[in-house]
Amino acid sequence: MLVHTGWAHWYLTAEPGPRAAVRAERRATGFVQSRDFVAWCWDHRIALLATDTFAVEVLAGPAS
């Protein structure tokens, strides 16, 4: 399964300030890491999962 989020396009066309903030905070869109998600992939026979982000899993920013 290939998931197109638009994140890569945004990142490549964003101004340097917002790009630097995302890089510094190591944030990214993605899928929650859970057994439910893994079970859903198994049940739907998903053998491969890829996205247009630098990680498939969600990367939340640092705790405030």
Side-chain angles (χ1 to χ4, degrees), residues 35-63:
R35 292 185 183 274
D36 289 339
F37 182 66
V38 173
W40 182 89
C41 288
W42 177 265
D43 292 344
H44 289 85
R45 298 182 177 181
I46 305 297
L48 177 68
L49 178 61
T51 69
D52 61 345
T53 64
F54 62 84
V56 173
E57 300 87 4
V58 66
L59 298 176

